Amino acid sequence: MTTIRDLFGGAIVSHIPPTFIDVSDIREIADNQEVFADVNSDESIVIEILQYVNEPSNEDAVRYHFASLAHDNDAEDFNTIQQITELTALEVPKLPSDTPKYLLVGQQQISKFDERDPSARNLVTILMALFRFPNIQTDIVITCNIPVILGATSSSRLVTQEGDVNEGYEEFRKILTSFDIKDWGLFNA
């Protein structure tokens, strides 16, 4: 089932899996983010409009965003990048063909709710897409977080199950192929 949802007031549209709820219905979310969480697992999808980072290469830029996520997740000591690949126009067909587009696959160990016990850390596979728009000084980062091993003392164990990376990747692929910027005026705000 394909579910196309309005993002950023309809300026962007994309597939979001039907089991994912809009987190802004539960808590406040920053204006530059759209956040969705799966009702059946701890999987989440975050779409962010960020300031363009000036790195020597586009691959360095996606590494920068992954490191920033590791910092935000308190996972600097528990993160690895497994691969970085350039996405093709077939994989992201609705963006201008000259848009630099990258996919990073990595893992981080993340605790929820500031749980400090090391055995509370969940091993999370991170799928991260980076779309770069130097002419408008904007990076768009789409992140899918898939917990693949729940920590022995993680509070997640009480309410959820471990995610399926293959299924998560398939949904992520649908997000990328449907991602469409309908109103470029969004970036002039």
Side-chain angles (χ1 to χ4, degrees), residues 12-157:
I12 297 174
V13 298
S14 184
H15 164 79
I16 301 295
T19 59
F20 282 67
I21 60 168
D22 187 339
V23 173
S24 69
D25 292 340
I26 300 167
R27 65 178 167 88
E28 192 167 331
I29 299 296
D31 289 344
N32 70 318
Q33 294 182 335
E34 293 280 354
V35 180
F36 300 90
D38 188 348
V39 297
N40 301 315
S41 71
D42 269 351
E43 291 182 43
S44 64
I45 297 166
V46 181
I47 298 118
E48 297 178 279
I49 299 172
L50 300 170
Q51 179 70 34
Y52 186 85
V53 296
N54 290 312
E55 291 291 327
S57 72
N58 291 321
E59 284 193 19
D60 289 332
V62 76
R63 288 177 198 280
Y64 171 89
H65 287 295
F66 184 74
S68 178
L69 179 65
H71 173 77
D72 293 347
N73 287 336
D74 192 27
E76 288 107 325
D77 297 334
F78 306 98
N79 73 92
T80 58
I81 295 173
Q82 295 165 326
Q83 73 178 53
I84 297 174
T85 55
E86 189 168 4
L87 292 163
T88 68
L90 290 174
E91 293 168 304
V92 191
K94 297 184 181 197
L95 290 181
S97 61
D98 62 345
T99 303
K101 303 172 283 291
Y102 287 81
L103 172 67
L104 179 148
V105 178
Q107 289 189 324
Q108 297 180 357
Q109 283 190 323
I110 302 168
S111 293
K112 291 190 69 168
F113 310 116
D114 293 323
E115 295 171 325
R116 294 291 170 207
D117 181 350
S119 68
R121 289 187 172 273
N122 300 323
L123 182 63
V124 178
T125 293
I126 309 284
L127 305 175
M128 177 180 282
L130 171 63
F131 308 145
R132 310 209 72 207
F133 304 97
N135 57 325
I136 55 173
Q137 290 295 290
T138 300
D139 283 343
I140 295 178
V141 176
I142 304 172
T143 307
C144 181
N145 304 288
I146 307 166
V148 291
I149 299 175
L150 300 178
T153 62
S154 173
S155 60
S156 296
R157 283 194 166 279

Side-chain angles (χ1 to χ4, degrees), residues 174-188:
K174 291 177 187 175
I175 292 167
L176 299 181
T177 58
S178 64
F179 191 87
D180 193 4
I181 299 171
K182 297 290 190 182
D183 181 2
W184 288 88
L186 171 69
F187 306 105
N188 297 330

Side-chain angles (χ1 to χ4, degrees), residues 160-180:
T160 192
Q161 59 192 1
E162 293 165 344
D164 180 326
V165 173
N166 291 329
E167 187 176 306
Y169 187 78
E170 184 59 29
E171 291 295 340
F172 196 67
R173 188 189 63 74
K174 291 177 187 175
I175 292 167
L176 299 181
T177 58
S178 64
F179 191 87
D180 193 4

